Amino acid sequence: MRTLSPARLANTLTAHDRKRLKEHGHEADFLEGTRLFEEGSVADRFWIVRSGTVTLDMRVPGRKPALIERLGPGELVGWSWLLRPYTWHNSAEAETPVRAYEFNAVTVRTAMDADPAFGSLIGNWVTSVLAYRLQGTRLRLLDEYALHGGVDTV
């Protein structure tokens, strides 16, 4: 049984809450190969994919960036905007042409501070996305260790 991803906005927020969040965003389009952000840079915005695919990756010294995850329609791209020091913990690239809603982080954080109920809702949503992605990463690591004989069986 597959769990619905909390990264998909419709799985977590009501239509009313989605509309309220979207009031703080605007549409953005990215060509295939466009880097949305780079690991270590300032996390001053985030996106919700409308169409296309965004890949998350991270730097690996001496190698090409390692693919972390692929994100599609309705999914959140970027969470570092919510947590100090507001720097990206990974990088993102448009794997295909992407249409997205783009949000200014300061604007959304200000709206969250002005309305604690809204702030809690968005904070809980982003936290659930983090937990979901952490679990997925843990499972991929277990698979990787198993494939390469990194797991001892005694």
Side-chain angles (χ1 to χ4, degrees), residues 42-135:
V42 175
D44 59 354
R45 63 198 67 237
F46 65 97
W47 300 264
I48 298 170
V49 177
R50 296 181 62 214
S51 66
T53 305
V54 173
T55 58
L56 300 179
D57 61 61
M58 64 183 296
R59 293 185 206 135
V60 178
R63 298 176 63 187
K64 69 178 189 170
L67 177 67
I68 298 171
E69 190 166 2
R70 284 185 172 83
L71 304 175
E75 292 192 287
L76 172 68
V77 178
W79 54 264
S80 300
W81 63 273
L82 187 59
L83 304 171
R84 292 183 191 278
Y86 309 126
T87 57
W88 294 116
H89 290 80
N90 54 27
S91 302
E93 182 174 307
E95 184 176 49
T96 66
V98 170
R99 297 185 70 205
Y101 290 109
E102 182 174 285
F103 300 87
N104 178 287
V106 172
T107 301
V108 174
R109 287 193 308 261
T110 300
M112 292 170 68
D113 290 344
D115 181 347
F118 180 69
S120 178
L121 182 76
I122 299 302
N124 287 334
W125 169 52
V126 174
T127 302
S128 68
V129 170
L130 280 167
Y132 181 81
R133 291 188 181 157
L134 177 60
Q135 183 63 17

Side-chain angles (χ1 to χ4, degrees), residues 139-152:
L139 292 173
R140 284 190 298 279
L141 282 171
L142 286 173
D143 286 345
E144 185 68 22
Y145 277 109
L147 285 174
H148 298 289
V151 176
D152 282 338

Side-chain angles (χ1 to χ4, degrees), residues 1 6 14 23 33 123:
M1 180 166 132
T14 67
E23 290 172 359

